[in-house]
Amino acid sequence: GLRKATEVTPAGRLRNELKISPHNLRLVQEAMRDDVTPEGTGKAAAVPGWQICGKTGTADSKTARTTWFVSYAPFDSPRYAVVAMVESGDSGGGTCAPIVRRVYEALQKREQNTNTRLTGTSLVLNPNY
């Protein structure tokens, strides 16, 4: 299952300042939202009721393939960031996006059941899950 990681980031803590224009930032956000649509490579991360924003990735080396999916949600009120990385995966969209969807489904269910939002907690997916 899911287990808590040891690092907890305090809510509202600014780590770095992003030097990007609001226009360009909006373009990136919209492109990430569009990646998790029926036409996007991250479509397997889609969760009904939330607009998930993400980006798939695949890197091949001589010895291995690493796949990932980075994301945040919901688009209109971002409060979660989820990243899945799998060594020897098929693709970021095919291997990692479904893992990310399961995490968002659990977060969405938790919010609905407890009427609370998690903040500043890192979760790590057990590789044997």
Side-chain angles (χ1 to χ4, degrees):
L2 295 175
R3 64 177 172 85
K4 280 191 176 183
T6 55
E7 179 183 345
V8 176
T9 304
R13 180 175 166 199
L14 180 65
R15 289 188 174 198
N16 294 306
E17 186 175 335
L18 187 62
K19 300 207 187 292
I20 185 171
S21 74
H23 172 75
N24 288 341
L25 179 58
R26 188 70 177 174
L27 289 174
V28 170
Q29 292 169 325
E30 290 172 357
M32 290 179 73
R33 180 197 58 205
D34 292 348
D35 191 48
V36 189
T37 62
E39 298 81 31
T41 59
K43 62 186 168 220
V47 174
W50 275 8
Q51 285 187 306
I52 309 298
C53 304
K55 178 66 182 99
T56 60
T58 302
D60 290 311
S61 69
K62 292 181 182 181
T63 58
R65 169 177 276 196
T66 302
T67 60
W68 62 87
F69 186 78
V70 298
S71 66
Y72 69 90
F75 174 76
D76 56 353
S77 179
R79 55 189 174 272
Y80 302 111
V82 178
V83 178
M85 181 172 279
V86 176
E87 292 181 14
S88 302
D90 290 327
S91 68
T95 305
C96 300
I99 296 168
V100 168
R101 181 190 70 241
R102 289 172 53 200
V103 173
Y104 282 121
E105 287 170 341
L107 290 167
Q108 187 183 51
K109 184 177 180 179
R110 183 178 180 133
E111 278 193 10
Q112 290 168 349
N113 289 343
T114 63
N115 201 24
T116 60
R117 297 177 180 172
L118 298 176
T119 57
T121 302
S122 299
L123 299 175
V124 176
L125 186 64
N126 182 329
N128 299 318
Y129 185 54

